């Protein structure tokens, strides 16, 4: 077996694939975030090039992994049969490995969380609706299972023939290559944050003499009229039930309907005129908090403090609110962070592989890309944190903040299709359209109500509220299973609501007064 040639061919194929992807990305260049003046961009030209090269290198490594996987399957067939090794067939196997893995991931994302494709696509999602209709969880799952079983069987046959022939050198190299391909998969998908259920009572003292735990669960852009029993759909059954066991505040106001100033007011107990944070673009250096935030007060009282959030809660880490444990995204409005997200074609390819531990560790700017649903991920992390707290004697203050009901309302399956019309085939099928480009967002603010598929968008929003309700239910039941429910104060909140043309516009923070 000519191992040097075998190892070189998938590298060449991966390099060619990455080059084509890079050229296409440059040709159809796009950027995330607000429009930036040319003179400012010129100052970041070198950084932009390095960021682009970095994304290309990760694309090359992923393509190389897929190409090598395809080659190893082909090589297993060579060893287990009388097929002669062919460089041309190896190249085809490399291309096949890339095509099959990318295709499978694309189908899985299109079904499981199509908004992840929508947020990095140059093309209308309407084109993918016919394909989406042909997919199904059972089909995708069975295809993936059969593909895996076929690879295992082919590998076993090839290994058996090598062992039978007594070729120890080729056997060792063959096993080493398979190990190098499978090890990253194990690391990426091995469940390290499974929330452990502890049936025994928590070690924390229960009753009036013990310090109560405080669990805050916030949802960005959650409208007040979706909670309670007056809405025509029962989209928040658990929250409605929970409200009957405690206090339901019906007269709440936010000083500024933007995330950063609203959270700052909530955690400092002061108005924006006092803490100085009036927009989402404020920085910690320009707006240092002069008052002691809530988390610091809890920490000084002996509490463990934690903040967990998806892309919507970067402000919890940008400003010094005093949280000890932080599972938070980088600042979403940092220019360098936005540049690192790269152009759409590169971003779309990488996004198919970054909704996991790999993305969070090495490409956080894509893992936390605005609009991609991370509700299940972050709620699982919150449950894991509760499990850990059930093992010690310290009370805790934890704040979980997620963007489940934030535009573009792109939730995971089945929530994005739970209330929508089955025969709807418009541009907002999987999430509110025209929110992937900053210029489109600005222009859409000026358009009238008739320019939007408002009924579909409201249906998507209601599905996202139901998703949040289900996740709160899981967290609350986990709290009970950990023995923490008797001594924990649970607070459900939002930073602000969402307008659906009640005041002739959509979004949040566009009007001084509003009841959404």
């Amino acid at each position: 077996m000519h191992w040097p040639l075998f190892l070189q061919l998938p590298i060449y194929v991966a390099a060619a694939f990455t080059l084509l992807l890079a050229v296409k990305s440059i040709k159809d260049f796009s950027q995330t975030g607000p429009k930036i003046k040319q003179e400012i961009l010129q100052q970041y030209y070198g950084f932009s090039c390095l960021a682009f090269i970095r994304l290309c290198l990760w694309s090359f490594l992923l393509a190389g992994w897929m190409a090598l996987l395809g080659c190893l399957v082909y090589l297993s067939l060579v060893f287990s049969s009388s097929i002669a090794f062919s460089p041309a067939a190896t190249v085809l196997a490399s291309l096949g490995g890339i095509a099959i893995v990318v295709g499978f991931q694309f189908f899985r994302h299109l079904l499981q969380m199509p908004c992840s494709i929508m947020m990095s696509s140059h093309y209308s999602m309407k084109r993918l609706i016919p394909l989406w209709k042909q997919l199904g969880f059972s089909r995708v799952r069975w295809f993936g299972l059969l593909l895996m079983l076929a690879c295992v069987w082919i590998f076993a046959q090839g290994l058996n023939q090598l062992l039978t022939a007594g070729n120890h050198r080729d056997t060792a190299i063959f096993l080493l290559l398979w190990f190098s391909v499978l090890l990253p998969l194990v690391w990426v998908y091995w469940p390290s944050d499974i929330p452990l259920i502890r049936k025994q009572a928590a070690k924390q003292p229960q009753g009036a003499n013990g310090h109560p735990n405080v669990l805050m669960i916030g949802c960005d852009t959650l409208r007040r009229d979706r909670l309670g029993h007056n809405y025509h759909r029962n989209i928040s059954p658990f929250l409605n039930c929970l409200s009957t066991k405690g206090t339901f505040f019906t007269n709440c106001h936010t000083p500024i309907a933007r995330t950063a100033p609203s959270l700052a007011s909530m955690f400092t107990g002061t108005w924006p005129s006092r803490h100085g944070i009036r927009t989402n673009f404020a920085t910690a250096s320009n707006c240092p908090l002069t008052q002691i935030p809530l988390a610091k007060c809890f920490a000084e009282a002996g509490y463990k403090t934690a903040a967990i959030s998806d892309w919507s809660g970067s402000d919890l880490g940008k400003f010094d609110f005093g949280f000890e444990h932080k599972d938070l995204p980088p600042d979403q409005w940092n220019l360098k962070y936005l540049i690192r997200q790269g152009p759409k074609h590169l971003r779309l390819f990488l996004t198919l592989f970054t909704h996991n531990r790999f993305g969070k560790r090495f490409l956080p700017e894509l893992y936390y890309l605005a609009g991609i649903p991370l509700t299940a991920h972050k709620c699982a992390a919150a449950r894991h944190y509760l499990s850990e707290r059930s093992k010690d004697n310290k009370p805790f203050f934890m704040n979980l903040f997620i963007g489940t009901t934030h535009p573009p309302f792109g939730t995971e399956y089945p929530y994005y299709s739970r209330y929508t019309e089955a025969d709807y085939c418009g541009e907002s099928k999987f999430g509110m359209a025209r929110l992937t480009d900053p210029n489109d967002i600005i222009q859409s603010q000026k358009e009238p109500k008739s320019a939007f598929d408002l009924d579909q968008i409201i249906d998507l929003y209601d599905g996202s509220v139901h998703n949040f309700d289900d996740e709160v239910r899981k967290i609350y039941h986990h709290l009970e299973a950990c023995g923490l429910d008797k001594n924990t104060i649970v607070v459900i909140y939002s930073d602000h609501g969402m307008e659906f043309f009640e005041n002739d516009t959509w979004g949040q923070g566009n009007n001084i007064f509003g009841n959404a």
Side-chain angles (χ1 to χ4, degrees):
M1 177 63 198
H2 196 278
W3 289 109
L5 177 62
F6 174 80
L7 293 174
Q8 290 171 12
L9 292 176
I11 294 176
Y12 296 151
V13 171
F17 174 83
T18 305
L19 180 61
L20 289 173
L21 185 63
V23 170
K24 181 66 174 174
S25 299
I26 294 173
K27 180 178 179 295
D28 300 329
F29 184 77
S30 63
Q31 67 182 43
T32 56
K35 190 173 182 180
I36 305 169
K37 292 184 178 179
Q38 192 63 34
E39 57 267 25
I40 297 177
L41 281 178
Q42 288 176 355
Q43 299 179 24
Y44 291 90
Y45 181 78
F47 182 84
S48 300
C49 292
L50 290 176
F52 183 78
I53 293 172
R54 173 175 170 267
L55 293 180
C56 288
L57 286 175
W58 278 116
S59 299
F60 169 72
L61 290 175
L62 283 169
W65 177 86
M66 290 180 278
L68 181 58
L69 177 62
C71 286
L72 285 175
V73 173
Y74 164 69
L75 190 62
S76 299
L77 287 172
V78 170
F79 288 147
S80 63
S81 63
S82 57
I83 301 176
F85 174 77
S86 167
T90 305
V91 171
L92 291 176
S94 299
L95 292 172
I98 295 174
I100 291 173
V101 176
V102 170
F104 177 75
Q105 285 294 98
F106 186 85
F107 295 153
R108 194 171 67 86
H109 275 244
L110 181 60
L111 181 64
Q112 181 74 26
M113 43 185 177
C115 199
S116 64
I117 296 175
M118 185 182 78
M119 297 308 294
S120 295
S121 176
H122 271 300
Y123 312 109
S124 172
M125 295 296 287
K126 292 170 62 175
R127 300 182 180 183
L128 298 178
I129 294 176
L131 174 62
W132 174 82
K133 288 182 177 180
Q134 299 300 317
L135 296 175
F137 263 105
S138 58
R139 292 183 180 181
V140 174
R141 187 164 47 242
W142 276 109
F143 177 77
L145 180 62
L146 291 175
L147 196 64
M148 182 183 66
L149 291 176
C151 290
V152 171
W153 184 83
I154 293 171
F155 161 76
Q157 294 297 313
L159 180 61
N160 180 61
Q161 289 298 321
L162 282 173
L163 292 174
T164 302
N167 192 334
H168 301 298
R169 174 179 172 273
D170 285 352
T171 302
I173 297 175
F174 181 70
L175 288 174
L176 181 63
L177 289 175
W178 269 107
F179 179 79
S180 65
V181 166
L182 296 179
L183 185 61
L185 271 182
V186 174
W187 177 77
V188 168
Y189 291 106
W190 188 266
S192 64
D193 58 348
I194 293 179
L196 305 174
I197 301 293
R198 305 204 172 265
K199 298 295 184 181
Q200 72 273 18
K203 295 180 180 180
Q204 299 182 42
Q206 304 289 318
N209 294 327
H211 294 294
N213 306 306
V214 179
L215 171 60
M216 296 184 66
I217 306 175
C219 192
D220 200 328
T221 324
L222 177 62
R223 287 174 61 107
R224 67 178 181 87
D225 61 357
R226 264 38 177 197
L227 308 181
H229 299 279
N230 294 324
Y231 192 57
H232 70 280
R233 285 172 172 163
N234 187 22
I235 59 175
S236 56
F238 182 77
L239 290 173
N240 294 343
C241 178
L242 200 62
S243 67
T244 62
K245 301 178 181 180
T247 303
F248 187 18
F249 296 94
T250 58
N251 191 24
C252 299
H253 301 273
T254 181
I256 297 177
R258 300 289 186 190
T259 300
S262 179
L263 291 179
S265 290
M266 187 175 302
F267 287 110
T268 62
T270 60
W271 292 93
S273 58
R274 173 75 181 278
H275 58 65
I277 303 171
R278 301 169 186 263
T279 70
N280 286 339
F281 304 101
T283 62
S285 58
N286 293 332
C287 302
L289 301 178
T290 57
Q291 51 284 325
I292 301 177
L294 184 60
K296 285 188 177 181
C297 294
F298 275 109
E300 291 174 359
Y303 277 67
K304 292 271 191 179
T305 61
I308 300 173
S309 184
D310 57 11
W311 56 272
S312 65
S314 63
D315 298 308
L316 294 171
K318 179 166 64 172
F319 302 101
D320 185 16
F321 288 119
F323 292 104
E324 174 191 17
H325 171 79
K326 297 178 183 179
D327 184 356
L328 301 170
D331 179 13
Q332 295 286 300
W333 294 107
N334 181 281
L335 182 57
K336 287 187 175 181
Y337 177 83
L338 295 173
I339 290 174
R340 287 203 308 270
Q341 292 178 342
K344 281 187 176 179
H345 291 307
L346 261 177
R347 198 163 72 236
L348 177 58
F349 170 71
L350 289 170
T351 296
L352 298 178
F353 302 94
T354 52
H355 202 256
N356 47 43
R357 183 184 300 163
F358 161 71
K360 186 178 181 181
R361 172 65 179 84
F362 296 105
L363 290 166
E365 63 272 22
L366 299 185
Y367 175 78
Y368 286 110
L369 186 67
I372 295 182
L374 287 174
T375 301
H377 284 220
K378 294 307 174 182
C379 289
R383 296 195 299 272
H384 186 267
Y385 183 82
L386 292 176
S387 295
E388 293 299 315
R389 296 286 65 79
S390 70
K391 296 185 290 186
D392 59 39
N393 292 312
K394 271 194 168 186
F396 65 85
F397 168 64
M398 186 183 82
N399 178 60
L400 170 67
F401 186 74
I402 48 180
T404 312
T405 56
H406 190 286
F409 320 125
T411 51
E412 294 183 272
Y413 182 89
Y415 297 101
Y416 67 80
S417 60
R418 174 154 288 179
Y419 299 107
T420 57
E421 295 292 336
D423 57 351
Y424 174 82
C425 294
E427 60 181 357
S428 293
K429 177 70 173 179
F430 308 109
M432 187 174 178
R434 288 176 287 172
L435 296 184
T436 63
D437 184 271
N439 294 322
D440 287 345
I441 296 174
I442 295 172
Q443 292 301 319
S444 64
Q445 295 283 342
K446 306 174 184 178
E447 295 182 355
K449 180 179 178 179
S450 58
F452 297 85
D453 296 333
L454 192 57
D455 290 340
Q456 169 70 10
I457 292 170
I458 290 175
D459 290 343
L460 288 168
Y461 182 82
D462 288 352
S464 66
V465 175
H466 202 148
N467 186 9
F468 176 66
D469 184 82
D470 282 348
E471 291 298 334
V472 173
R473 173 180 51 80
K474 293 177 186 177
I475 292 173
Y476 189 82
H477 290 334
H478 187 77
L479 198 70
E480 293 177 325
C482 290
L484 296 169
D485 58 305
K486 302 299 183 183
N487 196 39
T488 300
I489 300 171
V490 180
V491 181
I492 310 296
Y493 74 95
S494 180
D495 53 347
H496 52 73
M498 172 74 189
E499 287 187 278
F500 288 122
F501 288 96
E502 289 87 354
N503 296 292
D504 298 324
T505 187
W506 67 271
Q508 64 271 350
N510 297 323
N511 288 283
I512 298 177
F513 302 104
N515 295 319

